[in-house]
């Protein structure tokens, strides 16, 4: 690809509101991203009353199960969400967290699947997705290489097409946790398309990831980082995403045009303007033996001896009087 595949994750930023969710879709359609990503949580199929909060962020949900329940939409509502994405030219991507969610997503017509960091070792879910024949994107956030090796072997045995994102499950991710080095390690280890899943809430992180080889970029979106929700502080705003896409496309354009430092022919005309010729910096009489202290370099090039070879004329004798700031030429020397 000439530029990364940009995935803006709405996730739970909609707070269970269809109105807010559809507002995100419309806003993201103006940013240049390729896809919007959702999380399909069906509380009864994936969670229980024993699931703890990762962060106790909610004032209205007594349990994590209650939170997932509040985040749910019906199958018909999900179909409308998919239709909205299609209508504004955005790929609809979703992370399922249960086999039932996969059934729903197949009925909806998901393009491909995103596997969250916590599901990498859930081979039951991966088997369900493998049966669909759809490709998937795998986040490596909480996985060791040993765990990734197992999952990669499983996916290859099932002939599933996949890519892997370097991801750090920390919200917001700190610079020492980015793990940019892992992208190249993953590419070499598994020979797959690699990318970066960002939770830093910084545009610069994503620009760096692209410069270092990310072919897919995923980032959370929020209208304002002061909003309620577990991912708000780890998200980018709509304006930041617009800037991110523009900046990263510029970096990709640069990477596609390596500069040949052995060929500077394009600068021939400029070099005659900016490079310099030798002049004398004081009045000097005929017969004077030139020293380093007698010389200056002035623009443009070509009016005197090239300043780059000043050392060749030190110690030589003038055959005529020269005035201060006269250009020094070979014809002036014995």
């Amino acid at each position: 690809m000439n530029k990364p595949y940009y995935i803006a994750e709405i996730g739970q930023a909609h707070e269970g509101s269809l109105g807010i969710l559809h507002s995100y879709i419309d806003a993201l359609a103006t940013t240049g991203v390729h896809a919007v990503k959702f999380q399909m949580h069906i509380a009864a199929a994936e969670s229980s009353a024993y699931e703890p909060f990762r962060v106790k962020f909610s004032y209205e949900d007594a349990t994590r199960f209650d939170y997932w329940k509040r985040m749910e939409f019906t199958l018909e509502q999900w179909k409308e969400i998919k239709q909205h994405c299609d209508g504004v030219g955005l790929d609809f991507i979703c992370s399922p967290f249960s086999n039932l969610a996969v059934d729903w997503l197949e009925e909806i017509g998901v393009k491909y699947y995103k596997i969250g960091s916590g599901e990498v070792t859930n081979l039951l879910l991966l088997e369900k997705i493998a049966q669909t024949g759809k490709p998937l994107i795998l986040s490596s956030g909480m996985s060791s290489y040993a765990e990734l090796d197992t999952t990669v072997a499983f996916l290859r045995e099932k002939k599933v097409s996949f890519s892997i994102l370097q991801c750090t499950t920390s919200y917001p991710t700190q610079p020492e946790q980015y793990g940019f080095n892992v992208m190249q390690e993953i590419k070499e280890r598994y020979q797959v398309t690699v990318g970066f899943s960002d939770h830093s809430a910084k545009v610069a992180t994503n620009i760096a990831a692209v410069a270092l080889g990310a072919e897919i970029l995923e980032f959370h979106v929020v209208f304002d980082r002061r909003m309620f929700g577990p991912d708000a502080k780890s998200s980018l705003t709509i304006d930041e995403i617009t800037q991110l896409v523009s900046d990263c496309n510029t970096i990709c354009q640069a990477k596609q045009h390596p500069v040949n430092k052995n060929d500077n022919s394009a600068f021939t005309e400029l070099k005659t303007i900016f490079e310099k010729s030798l002049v004398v910096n004081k009045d000097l009489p005929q017969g004077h033996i030139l020293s380093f202290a007698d010389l200056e370099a002035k623009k443009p090039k070509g009016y005197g001896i090239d300043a780059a070879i000043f050392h060749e004329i030190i110690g030589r004798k003038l055959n005529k009087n020269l005035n201060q700031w006269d250009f020094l030429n070979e014809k002036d020397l014995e």
Side-chain angles (χ1 to χ4, degrees):
M1 294 177 65
N2 293 331
K3 54 189 176 184
Y5 186 71
Y6 299 108
I7 304 171
E9 176 167 1
I10 294 174
Q12 267 60 252
H14 53 72
E15 272 302 304
S17 164
L18 277 172
I20 293 176
L21 184 150
H22 285 287
S23 296
Y24 272 115
I25 294 173
D26 286 332
L28 287 168
T30 69
T31 65
V33 301
H34 299 100
V36 287
K37 204 208 91 174
F38 302 91
Q39 298 178 16
M40 183 175 285
H41 294 284
I42 305 174
E46 72 171 79
S47 186
S48 72
Y50 302 103
E51 181 187 0
F53 280 101
R54 171 170 57 83
V55 177
K56 186 63 173 75
F57 60 87
S58 178
Y59 293 97
E60 58 184 309
D61 306 302
T63 68
R64 186 74 160 168
F65 180 91
D66 293 334
Y67 175 67
W68 296 134
K69 194 71 179 171
R70 188 164 60 81
M71 293 297 106
E72 289 182 5
F73 299 114
T74 67
L75 178 57
E76 290 307 310
Q77 288 170 332
W78 276 115
K79 289 179 179 179
E80 292 170 0
I81 293 166
K82 166 68 161 55
Q83 289 170 1
H84 189 174
C85 292
D86 292 343
V88 296
L90 294 172
D91 292 339
F92 171 91
I93 304 174
C94 196
S95 293
F97 293 87
S98 64
N99 284 13
L100 179 57
V102 176
D103 288 334
W104 282 24
L105 287 168
E106 283 301 295
E107 186 169 341
I108 293 164
V110 71
K111 186 172 184 178
Y112 47 84
Y113 288 90
K114 170 66 198 305
I115 306 303
S117 297
E119 305 298 319
V120 172
T121 59
N122 184 356
L123 298 187
L124 179 73
L125 178 65
L126 294 178
E127 170 65 30
K128 181 75 172 180
I129 293 172
Q131 292 174 8
T132 73
K134 302 271 181 73
L136 60 84
I137 299 174
L138 196 71
S139 265
S140 63
M142 294 186 284
S143 302
S144 67
Y145 276 126
E147 290 170 326
L148 282 174
D149 287 347
T150 298
T151 296
V152 166
F154 177 86
L155 294 174
R156 285 188 167 148
E157 179 186 355
K158 303 293 180 179
K159 295 182 170 49
V160 177
S161 176
F162 65 95
S163 52
I164 302 178
L165 307 184
Q166 160 54 11
C167 171
T168 300
T169 309
S170 178
Y171 304 83
T173 311
Q174 300 304 306
E176 59 270 22
Q177 300 173 310
Y178 293 168
F180 289 138
N181 61 293
V182 177
M183 284 191 296
Q184 189 60 34
E185 292 173 7
I186 287 173
K187 192 165 190 68
E188 293 174 358
R189 190 180 187 98
Y190 303 120
Q191 300 298 304
V192 294
T193 297
V194 297
F196 190 79
S197 180
D198 178 50
H199 302 121
S200 72
K202 296 183 184 299
V203 172
T205 308
N206 293 273
I207 295 172
V210 169
L212 293 169
E215 300 160 277
I216 301 170
L217 276 184
E218 179 189 56
F219 34 80
H220 284 262
V221 58
V222 72
F223 283 126
D224 191 295
R225 276 188 286 273
R226 291 167 292 189
M227 291 179 70
F228 179 83
D231 300 318
K233 290 182 174 61
S234 309
S235 301
L236 295 166
T237 66
I238 298 296
D239 288 343
E240 287 172 334
I241 290 173
T242 301
Q243 187 66 52
L244 178 155
V245 171
S246 176
D247 290 348
C248 289
N249 286 347
T250 299
I251 296 301
C252 286
Q253 184 178 5
K255 290 179 68 177
Q256 291 157 32
H257 294 84
V259 171
N260 178 7
K261 286 298 285 182
N262 290 313
D263 178 13
N264 66 347
S265 57
F267 303 109
T268 299
E269 184 176 348
L270 283 176
K271 284 168 71 67
T272 64
I273 297 173
F274 288 101
E275 293 185 355
K276 295 182 176 182
S277 305
L278 287 177
V279 298
V280 293
N281 60 18
K282 59 178 75 71
D283 293 341
L284 295 175
Q286 179 180 350
H288 179 78
I289 305 298
L290 290 168
S291 70
F292 179 82
D294 298 325
L295 303 176
E296 184 56 271
K298 294 182 69 174
K299 292 181 283 190
K301 181 179 181 177
Y303 279 75
I305 294 170
D306 195 321
I309 59 171
F310 74 92
H311 56 283
E312 295 181 11
I313 62 93
I314 291 175
R316 294 183 65 181
K317 185 184 294 186
L318 291 177
N319 63 19
K320 59 187 287 190
N321 295 333
L322 290 179
N323 297 320
Q324 185 183 33
W325 308 131
D326 281 348
F327 284 103
L328 180 63
N329 285 280
E330 188 65 32
K331 63 182 177 60
D332 304 322
L333 304 171
E334 292 184 4

